[in-house]
């Protein structure tokens, strides 16, 4: 596919992917100080595939949210043409699925290959063919220069846009010297941009050193990790900003984009470094919320101001959503303010099952459920159609299943039909199911038919749960 993005990897100063550091506040701060491209922290493909893409209208962000409501990846318009999404993957198809999930919200996709395996090049080939955004990868060097150069040549043939090389071997730590000669050999052996990484310990102490490291490695661009973690104003041409100002700027982004306080605290601790034993450092270490962090840095008023802004936006959006709901509300839909609480029902018995049984008894078509999710708060509402009438709960629920059960309750109560609650006394559906189970145990059909061919009624009862 044709790459249709202006992202270029030559002559760039890049924020490296760093676990727990490369979240949205740090990426935006690096861009403010002069970084050309920013990489997010490595995110695992399996975790991302569980996420839903959600537009956060309050924060004006795009969130990828896990089933437990945790935000796994958050981005915004400000970085959309500059952020590269790095993932960890051992499977080409999973990697492609994740890339397609985030492709419209990022500028590129990177695979963290670390110490490359056989499947790594297959992943790269699949991504290059399967998405429109540029694909890159990041590796460490192998034990020999020859092996490393041969590996990179194989990687180049996959069609990737650039390769980042951390100039250390698998077993080497940050205190070990970076192997500029190996990165240089790679740069001279391939035609794609090579991004030099690993210079924070030996080379990069200030902005001018970035160019020194680039020349020493003959690289196209430089990727900075720890030097940027300690002070992201390393990207600033005019030199470092005072650390106090940098930390306050970071906190502003952390509050503005509702960064989890533990992540904010971790990043600030990396910036304080030797100052962690000061009074301020100890207060930061003791902080247990974003508000407390703000108070440590004399930004309590800013926190209160932003909290007020968020509350105002949320109220405004809720009012707007309610107005829109009212405008599109179908007057023929019967509503009640009810929720489904499974504790009020016997095990494996639900209102949906009772409604299905009633429809069969009355010779009506099966109930049809239409469920929608509200973007603002990610809650669900379901409308069930039974005998050409529509029913729904006036309350929105946390999941599709709960919303559908609530709709079934509204329908059953309107019709005056039992819904299966424990307080209703003897449950005829339980009795029927037990009898059916006993018959199934001795029925010849259970010996002759696979489960996929069992009577439709048994299958449907299971589905109705």
């Amino acid at each position: 596919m044709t790459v249709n993005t202006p992202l270029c990897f030559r002559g760039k100063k890049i924020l490296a992917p760093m676990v727990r550091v490369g979240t949205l506040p740090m990426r935006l701060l690096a861009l403010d100080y002069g970084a050309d491209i920013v990489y997010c922290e490595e995110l695992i493909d399996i975790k991302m595939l569980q996420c839903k893409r959600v537009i956060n209208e309050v924060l004006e962000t795009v969130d990828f949210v896990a089933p437990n409501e945790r935000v796994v990846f958050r981005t915004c318009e400000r970085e959309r043409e500059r952020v590269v999404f790095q993932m960890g993957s051992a499977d080409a198809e999973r990697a492609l699925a994740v890339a397609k999930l985030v492709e419209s919200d990022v500028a590129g996709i990177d695979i963290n290959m670390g110490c490359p395996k056989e499947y790594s090049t297959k992943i790269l080939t699949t991504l290059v063919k399967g998405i429109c955004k540029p694909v890159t990868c990041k590796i460490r060097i192998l034990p020999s220069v020859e092996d490393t150069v041969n590996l990179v040549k194989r990687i180049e043939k996959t069609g990737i846009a650039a390769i980042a090389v951390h100039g250390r071997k698998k077993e080497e730590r940050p205190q070990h010297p970076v192997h500029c000669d190996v990165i240089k050999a790679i740069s001279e052996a391939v035609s794609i941009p090579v991004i030099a990484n690993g210079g924070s310990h030996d080379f990069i102490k200030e902005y001018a050193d970035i160019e020194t490291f680039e020349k020493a490695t003959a690289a196209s661009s430089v990727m900075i990790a720890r030097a940027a973690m300690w002070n992201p104003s390393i990207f600033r041409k005019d030199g470092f900003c005072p650390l106090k100002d940098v930390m306050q700027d970071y906190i502003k982004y952390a509050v503005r984009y509702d960064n989890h306080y533990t992540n904010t605290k971790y990043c600030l601790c990396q910036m304080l470094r030797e100052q962690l034993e000061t009074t301020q450092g100890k207060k930061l270490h003791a902080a247990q919320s974003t508000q407390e962090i703000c108070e440590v840095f004399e930004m309590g008023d800013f926190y209160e101001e932003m909290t007020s802004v968020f509350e105002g936006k949320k109220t405004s959006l809720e009012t707007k959503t309610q107005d829109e709901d009212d405008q599109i509300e179908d007057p023929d839909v019967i509503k009640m303010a009810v929720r489904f609480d499974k504790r009020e029902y016997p095990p494996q018995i639900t209102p949906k099952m009772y409604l299905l049984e009633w429809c069969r008894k009355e010779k009506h078509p099966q109930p049809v459920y239409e469920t929608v999710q509200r973007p603002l708060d990610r809650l669900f509402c379901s409308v069930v159609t039974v005998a050409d009438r529509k029913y729904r709960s006036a309350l929105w629920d946390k999941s599709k299943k709960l919303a559908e059960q609530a709709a079934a309750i509204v329908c059953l109560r309107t019709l005056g039909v039992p819904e299966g609650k424990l307080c209703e006394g003897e449950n005829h559906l339980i009795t029927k199911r037990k009898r059916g189970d006993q018959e199934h145990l001795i029925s010849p059909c259970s010996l002759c038919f696979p489960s996929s061919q069992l009577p439709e009624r048994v299958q449907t009862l299971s589905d109705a749960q």
Side-chain angles (χ1 to χ4, degrees), residues 193-221:
V194 173
I195 305 167
N197 175 232
S200 292
H201 186 272
D202 301 317
F203 284 87
I204 304 172
K205 309 301 179 186
E206 59 184 14
Y207 180 84
D209 297 334
I210 299 174
E211 185 177 351
T212 303
F213 184 51
E214 185 178 310
K215 288 181 178 178
T217 57
S220 304
S221 297

Side-chain angles (χ1 to χ4, degrees), residues 415-427:
L415 297 170
V417 177
E419 59 192 75
K421 295 178 75 171
L422 289 167
C423 63
E424 292 175 353
E426 184 179 358
N427 193 305

Side-chain angles (χ1 to χ4, degrees), residues 131-149:
I131 65 173
C132 294
K133 297 295 173 68
V135 176
T136 64
C137 72
K138 185 171 182 286
I139 66 167
R140 276 180 174 253
I141 62 175
L142 299 179
S144 76
V145 177
E146 182 181 4
D147 287 345
T148 307
V149 170

Side-chain angles (χ1 to χ4, degrees), residues 44-92:
I44 305 303
D45 57 0
I46 295 175
K47 183 180 291 186
M48 282 298 298
L49 287 175
Q50 298 172 351
C51 293
K52 270 188 179 179
R53 181 183 183 274
V54 177
I55 304 295
N56 188 323
E57 296 184 71
V58 175
L59 299 180
E60 299 175 357
T61 59
V62 176
D63 298 344
F64 291 84
V65 185
N68 64 359
E69 299 299 311
R70 176 175 169 265
V71 177
V72 176
F73 177 60
R74 170 168 286 161
T75 185
C76 65
E77 183 63 28
R78 163 84 170 85
E79 67 169 3
R80 192 163 69 90
E81 299 299 329
R82 314 277 284 283
V83 64
V84 175
F85 181 91
Q86 186 187 68
M87 79 172 97
S89 179
D91 182 87

Side-chain angles (χ1 to χ4, degrees), residues 439-440 442-450 453-455:
E439 291 172 354
H440 178 68
I442 60 174
S443 170
C445 75
S446 67
L447 302 175
C448 302
F449 294 94
Q453 296 177 20
L454 286 175

Side-chain angles (χ1 to χ4, degrees), residues 11-28:
K12 304 299 181 184
K13 296 168 179 62
I14 302 170
L15 177 70
M18 292 179 278
V19 175
R20 298 183 69 185
V21 175
T23 48
L24 184 57
M26 181 63 80
R27 300 197 303 266
L28 294 178

Side-chain angles (χ1 to χ4, degrees), residues 102-171:
V102 303
E103 183 179 11
S104 63
D105 301 302
V106 299
I109 302 292
D110 181 83
I111 294 294
N112 183 14
M113 294 175 63
C115 302
K117 306 290 191 299
E118 285 300 319
Y119 56 71
S120 301
T121 51
K122 180 182 178 183
I123 293 173
L124 295 175
T125 301
T126 299
L127 289 176
V128 170
K129 291 179 179 179
I131 65 173
C132 294
K133 297 295 173 68
V135 176
T136 64
C137 72
K138 185 171 182 286
I139 66 167
R140 276 180 174 253
I141 62 175
L142 299 179
S144 76
V145 177
E146 182 181 4
D147 287 345
T148 307
V149 170
N150 288 337
L151 168 67
V152 174
K153 285 181 177 180
R154 291 203 309 273
I155 291 173
E156 181 181 30
K157 290 178 181 178
T158 66
I160 63 170
I163 182 168
V165 180
H166 184 160
R168 292 185 179 85
K169 301 170 188 176
K170 177 183 178 181
E171 66 277 6

